[in-house]
Amino acid sequence: MPDAAWVLNAMYEHEHGPGDVSHHEHRQARLADRSAPRDIVAGIDLDAVGTATGGGLGRSEHPGPGWRRLRWAELAGRTGDPIVPDGLLPSYRCFPSATKNGSWPLGIAPPTEGSLDRETWIRLIDLLAAHSPAGPDTRCLAYYNPLTLGAVDFDNLHVRVGRLGDAEILYDMSEAELPDFSPANLWAEDRSWVLCTDYDLWATKVAGSPALIEALLNDTGVEAVRLPWAT
């Protein structure tokens, strides 16, 4: 592909600000007063061995009234951290100055891993259609990483085929075989562009024409960056 950029998953901040209490401190307080059950998986008390970061996995969307989108660039200017540290990819390793012992402030909803958020997904589909010869009628394919399907079947892999203009519905499909994630890969059948959403990252790599990448970088509905070390 001639060009590429990383589309960053959205994060949100409450209108009252980030506050001084972290998600982990709030979680521990709720456990102490027994207003929340302990998170025990396979006999392991995750609350005893881990940190409640405030982050999640999979699909996400705007939290609702009282919240606003917090741009990565705005947070970088506030903290002095780079948007993405040199040599790294967009992930939980970003913005160490914004967290307390690895936990985000209670007033910030950090990006989720492994999936585009709803608003970014919808806007990205519009931009892809605008830069595809057939527009919304562009034939495209969607593939889901087996990790998003419960990691139970690595031998029988499947793709879904359809119109780019209909790809928004993939975000809300509730069929049993579809996960709570956007596709790991979405690409045009003519291979003019491709999306890659990594299970462990906070962003999706988009590769395609220079015109498409410039549109992503300049669009106000998505937040995208070039990473010279990961083109």
Side-chain angles (χ1 to χ4, degrees), residues 66-96:
W67 292 83
R68 69 174 185 90
R69 184 164 181 174
L70 175 61
R71 297 275 171 171
W72 289 50
E74 179 185 346
L75 186 58
R78 183 189 303 176
T79 63
D81 292 327
I83 294 178
V84 180
D86 286 353
L88 296 184
L89 297 178
S91 71
Y92 72 92
R93 292 184 175 89
C94 297
F95 301 113

Side-chain angles (χ1 to χ4, degrees), residues 1-7 124 128 131-132 185-188 190-197 204-214 216 225-226 230-231:
M1 296 292 179
D3 206 353
W6 289 82
V7 174
L124 184 53
L128 291 171
H131 290 83
S132 297
N185 296 109
L186 183 76
W187 68 98
D190 65 4
R191 303 191 180 189
S192 56
W193 50 260
V194 61
L195 275 60
C196 178
T197 302
T204 288
K205 186 176 183 179
V206 182
S209 69
L212 169 60
I213 302 308
E214 284 300 320
L216 292 175
V225 294
R226 275 198 177 94
T231 55

Side-chain angles (χ1 to χ4, degrees), residues 46-68:
L46 298 183
D47 288 306
V49 300
T51 298
T53 65
L57 184 65
R59 294 183 294 192
S60 66
E61 59 186 354
H62 192 285
W67 292 83
R68 69 174 185 90

Side-chain angles (χ1 to χ4, degrees), residues 24 27 49 52 60 63 68 79 83 106 114 116 131-132 149 162 164 166 170 172 182-183 187 195 199 215 217:
H24 185 72
R27 173 70 179 170
V49 300
S60 66
R68 69 174 185 90
T79 63
I83 294 178
L106 193 59
L116 286 159
H131 290 83
S132 297
L149 297 168
L164 176 60
D166 296 327
L170 292 174
D172 289 314
S182 60
W187 68 98
L195 275 60
Y199 186 76
L217 293 170

Side-chain angles (χ1 to χ4, degrees), residues 5-28:
W6 289 82
V7 174
L8 307 172
N9 295 351
M11 70 176 86
Y12 302 92
E13 184 175 58
H14 197 269
E15 60 186 8
H16 295 308
D20 296 325
V21 177
S22 71
H23 282 272
H24 185 72
E25 290 169 335
H26 178 68
R27 173 70 179 170
Q28 292 301 309

